[in-house]
Amino acid sequence: MTAEPTGSDTSRRTLLKRATVAAVPTVASLLGGFPGTAAAGDAPNLPDYAPIPAASVGPALNADGYFVGQVKGNLYWVTDTYYQAMFLTTREGVVLVDAPPTLGHNLLRAIQEVTRANGKPSRVTHLVYSHSHADHIGAASLFGKHVVRVGHTETRRLLRIEADPNRPAPTVTFDDRYVLRVGGERL
């Protein structure tokens, strides 16, 4: 429900509307016309910038659209050049940290690729949520109902409110610190 505007609110709104209407043509003329009419390529005085360094573009993706690399030991990272996740292979299964929807099924492929090469089980047993946002855990439902989901208490609270089937709430929560031990590894 919105309150009716008072006299001062009405005059302030009227003033802002008039100022905006008056300013648009002025700004457009200063910028050389209305949007869509500027041609930056025709401006000879634009500065020259250095090309984007190759390292800033990220690693080359494989044919499936992802890159998987070893961080150290049994810890790996996966990226699609926009989002990343990491996973730890153990003798009991895989601990995955985050599951961005842009990576989705490529996480499963990357895990399968690494575990096949190192002789470890490929089943994801634990999924650690860095936080509740869909761009980080929007593919969490791909790992089934039996995965142990670890997250902060606040993450659980927010996910229960959201009730998004793609982001099930954590089954194990913590407030300050949590050390996860799985298959002889510690995270």
Side-chain angles (χ1 to χ4, degrees), residues 9-150:
D9 287 341
T10 303
S11 60
R12 187 177 311 127
R13 286 189 186 130
T14 304
L15 173 66
L16 289 172
K17 278 184 189 175
R18 286 183 187 147
T20 302
V21 170
V24 169
T26 306
V27 170
S29 68
L30 290 172
L31 295 176
F34 286 96
T37 61
D42 297 339
N45 298 332
L46 288 177
D48 229 359
Y49 292 100
I52 297 172
S56 296
V57 177
L61 304 180
N62 65 17
D64 289 323
Y66 69 90
F67 170 85
V68 61
Q70 185 176 26
V71 176
K72 183 178 180 182
N74 293 321
L75 185 63
Y76 298 84
W77 72 294
V78 184
T79 186
D80 59 3
T81 70
Y82 296 103
Y83 288 95
Q84 303 85 37
M86 69 178 184
F87 63 92
L88 181 65
T89 62
T90 78
R91 63 179 180 251
E92 293 176 15
V94 175
V95 177
L96 176 63
V97 178
D98 281 351
T102 61
L103 287 169
H105 289 284
N106 282 336
L107 285 170
L108 296 169
R109 289 181 185 104
I111 290 167
Q112 185 67 39
E113 176 186 327
V114 168
T115 56
R116 188 180 314 121
N118 70 17
K120 302 239 176 163
S122 63
R123 186 173 67 87
V124 174
T125 59
H126 295 75
L127 177 53
V128 178
Y129 293 171
S130 64
H131 61 288
S132 67
H133 296 164
D135 63 331
H136 285 264
I137 61 167
S141 63
L142 290 176
F143 301 94
K145 295 179 181 182
H146 301 293
V147 67
V148 175
R149 299 169 198 282
V150 180

Side-chain angles (χ1 to χ4, degrees), residues 131-179:
H131 61 288
S132 67
H133 296 164
D135 63 331
H136 285 264
I137 61 167
S141 63
L142 290 176
F143 301 94
K145 295 179 181 182
H146 301 293
V147 67
V148 175
R149 299 169 198 282
V150 180
H152 192 271
T153 305
E154 182 67 3
T155 297
R156 180 182 175 126
R157 186 186 74 76
L158 292 170
L159 289 173
R160 283 184 163 176
I161 291 169
E162 297 276 333
D164 178 353
N166 294 316
R167 296 179 292 154
T171 51
V172 173
T173 60
F174 62 93
D175 288 319
D176 295 316
R177 236 179 110 98
Y178 187 78
V179 177

